[in-house]
Amino acid sequence: MPIDPTAELEITAFEWVPRFAQGQVRDLRPRWACEEYGLPYKVRLVSAIERPEWYFQDQPWGQVPFVRDGEVGIFESGATLIHIAEKAGALPPVGSQERASVLSWLLAAFNSIEPFVMEFVNCAVFSRTEDWAPLRQPSLLETLHGRLSRLETALGDRAWLAGAFSIADIAMASILRALPDPAVLAAHAALAAYVERATTRPAFQRALAAQLAPFAEHDPSKQKEGA
């Protein structure tokens, strides 16, 4: 679904980030949910380099995404996914096992998988030149593989985590695709196939293209060339 500047639902995103982060910024998650559920949205861009002071009133740490839906403001990507799914009528009924499964897997993605993935990203990418990084990686990888093995076992032969495709899969696939070393995920064939299924969905492809589009327009190097 194309972005609609008249939409009531607004997603705040960064106008530009360095290349290594492009396609990984977390506004991709609510964008993906809107695309899956056919909800129009508009975008408010802010600078990731010089974050405007007023934005901290919306998001205390100046991060994205922040979603505004009429008078309702939501920060943290998990909260935005729940809000969007509820708005679209895509969450199972309150009190049902189906709803409990979706929410359990959603929170598992953020609490039981993402911290270990991000620690690996920090070690392998952001802190790779530090003396401690090569010493930390073996034990970190062992722990990460243990987490992924448990996830793979829980997934079993199902296509998606909680029955039908849901916001839990948006969260989990977004996190797993952030692994900077393809060999880590390749060691877990079922999870690699799971991420492939998720990221080949047309809704994901549209959300990714929408996130990437402003980065070329606001690329600082191009702006300097045109100055």
Side-chain angles (χ1 to χ4, degrees):
M1 173 174 293
I3 294 172
D4 181 353
T6 67
E8 185 175 40
L9 195 151
E10 177 187 75
I11 299 174
T12 300
F14 289 142
E15 63 184 16
W16 179 84
V17 293
R19 184 169 296 277
F20 70 84
Q22 295 181 11
Q24 297 291 348
V25 190
R26 292 174 184 174
D27 62 282
L28 183 63
R29 299 169 184 178
R31 288 178 187 265
W32 186 358
C34 286
E35 294 288 355
E36 288 285 351
Y37 303 133
L39 293 180
Y41 70 96
K42 60 187 175 184
V43 177
R44 176 179 65 170
L45 297 176
V46 297
S47 172
I49 308 302
E50 298 178 359
R51 302 181 196 189
E53 191 60 34
W54 57 259
Y55 183 54
F56 290 91
Q57 298 177 31
D58 289 340
Q59 217 292 351
W61 298 276
Q63 299 167 332
V64 298
F66 175 81
V67 168
R68 172 72 63 187
D69 188 7
E71 297 301 315
V72 177
I74 313 104
F75 66 92
E76 291 297 325
S77 62
T80 70
L81 289 178
I82 292 171
H83 178 83
I84 290 168
E86 286 183 332
K87 182 181 180 72
L91 275 182
V94 173
S96 67
Q97 179 58 57
E98 291 79 9
R99 184 186 183 95
S101 295
V102 170
L103 295 181
S104 293
W105 278 114
L106 178 72
L107 296 181
F110 296 129
N111 296 321
S112 297
I113 298 297
E114 188 168 38
F116 300 91
V117 169
M118 294 312 298
E119 189 175 0
F120 180 72
V121 169
N122 180 50
C123 187
V125 179
F126 298 113
S127 301
R128 65 185 182 278
T129 60
E130 299 291 335
D131 292 341
W132 56 265
L135 302 175
R136 176 72 180 104
Q137 277 208 32
S139 61
L140 179 56
L141 272 173
E142 182 179 2
T143 301
L144 179 57
H145 279 302
R147 289 274 160 169
L148 296 179
S149 293
R150 291 289 186 180
L151 174 59
E152 190 171 34
T153 298
L155 179 64
D157 59 1
R158 301 193 309 278
W160 309 115
L161 291 169
F165 183 86
S166 71
I167 55 174
D169 299 298
I170 291 177
M172 190 69 79
S174 297
I175 291 164
L176 293 176
R177 68 181 288 272
L179 284 164
D181 183 354
V184 177
L185 196 59
H188 305 272
L191 295 184
Y194 167 76
V195 173
E196 178 72 11
R197 280 194 300 278
T199 57
T200 53
R201 293 174 70 88
F204 172 81
Q205 294 296 323
R206 292 192 298 268
L208 180 62
Q211 183 187 83
L212 294 177
F215 297 155
E217 180 183 352
H218 297 276
D219 187 334
S221 64
K222 293 182 179 179
Q223 292 177 357
K224 286 181 180 179
E225 291 173 2

